[in-house]
Amino acid sequence: MKLPRFAKVYHIKNYNFTLTALVFSLSVLGIFVVGSAREIYQSRQIFGVVFGLFVMVIVSLFDYVWVLEFYWLIYLVAIGSLGSVFIVGQTVNGARRWINLGFTTFQPSELAKILLILFFSRFIMNHTEDINDRSTLIKYAALSAIPLGLIFAEPNLSTTLVTAMVICLLIYVGGLSYRVIGRILLALIPTTIIFFAIVMMPHQPFLQKYQQQRILAFINQEEDQNSDEVYQQNNSVMAIGSGKLTGKGLNNNTTTSVKNGNFIPEPQTDFIFAIVGEELGFIGGCIVIALLLLIVVQCILIGIRAQDLAGRIICCGVGGLIGVQSFVNISVATGLIPNTGVPLPFVSYGLTSLVSLYIGIGFVLNVGLQPKKYQ
């Protein structure tokens, strides 16, 4: 019987069970930590992991080369979903980032990250020969600006920056020359300095008031100890430090627990690493970081053996997304960067983020099922 175009005959030996085991282990750990942070969300997180694993396996059997034939449709779906929040989106705390589906909420920007990785992997492969030409770079910048502008307008500055960094990583993996990179940096560095100088001014036009307050509070931490932004991060750092080597244990009833005192906002999402540090200690924190690092390394290793440039970009893009989000989330929880909301991959509560990352891993696994054939 002839197989459909989207399917191929794969060899089980090429299925990366190491990556699957790492993702599953981190997800299970996330279930326990989310349950300890907010017990009401644990059952939903379990559903998200089970459903996500199912989707991951299904996606891993779809030929990514066939899927990328529809790369313009993928791009339009990403743009359409991002634009839909301004029409049917739900406003929470002044931001329109979610669509209420009745049984759950859907955050298009999380899925858009994966869709954009798929789109640009094919776009870059189509422009392998002229990737450093001015016309190609202008097209790449314009195609990037549309989704980034929509995410920024929600407003969602943190996701905008994470997505922008991943998009930059994609074109670097695609062969952008260091000469072009040097020119971009020469223009970007003074532009960034001017941007932050303007942001510091009252009535600046670029950021929302709360976004400006977070940056200013981070810069003037000693003067703004009573601000919500500094207060939250200080409590997060205190929680991580209080866990010491082995932590206080999951679901503990310790009265000195920062979590039990409700001093950490949204502990199941943005500050989930504070719960890891307090309840699993330094050892638990290192285990989470090690699992995240190993997942990123596995994605890169699969990408190195990919049969084409698009496969390599998909793997490095998904690995880069996981790495960048992990760095930002943990840096916020430890007070290294200003307070911003980015989920910790496979650990934080959030069904859209969780399932979207599983879809990304599914495509990485499919790339691994079609390794480069060496002569």
Side-chain angles (χ1 to χ4, degrees), residues 4 12 14 62 155 185 190 250-251 274 347 359:
I12 192 69
N14 292 324
F62 275 74
L185 289 176
L250 293 169
N251 303 302
V347 181
I359 292 173

Side-chain angles (χ1 to χ4, degrees), residues 129-201:
E129 301 299 326
D130 60 352
I131 193 65
N132 293 297
D133 291 355
R134 181 179 299 178
S135 60
T136 302
L137 294 176
I138 291 174
K139 290 177 186 176
Y140 193 83
L143 291 168
S144 303
I146 297 173
L148 291 176
L150 289 171
I151 297 172
F152 182 78
E154 291 180 354
N156 195 341
L157 178 61
S158 57
T159 300
T160 304
L161 294 175
V162 168
T163 307
M165 285 188 279
V166 173
I167 289 174
C168 291
L169 172 65
L170 299 180
I171 195 169
Y172 170 76
V173 175
L176 188 65
S177 72
Y178 285 102
R179 179 180 298 179
V180 175
I181 294 174
R183 291 175 181 173
I184 294 173
L185 289 176
L186 285 175
L188 191 61
I189 292 174
T191 302
T192 303
I193 294 173
I194 294 171
F195 172 77
F196 276 105
I198 296 174
V199 165
M200 301 298 177
M201 300 178 182

Side-chain angles (χ1 to χ4, degrees), residues 210-228:
Y210 76 91
Q211 294 171 335
Q212 183 187 37
Q213 288 175 341
R214 287 181 176 182
I215 295 174
L216 293 176
F218 180 79
I219 295 174
N220 305 308
Q221 291 189 40
E222 294 183 1
E223 300 175 10
D224 295 328
Q225 286 295 318
N226 294 324
S227 69
D228 289 341

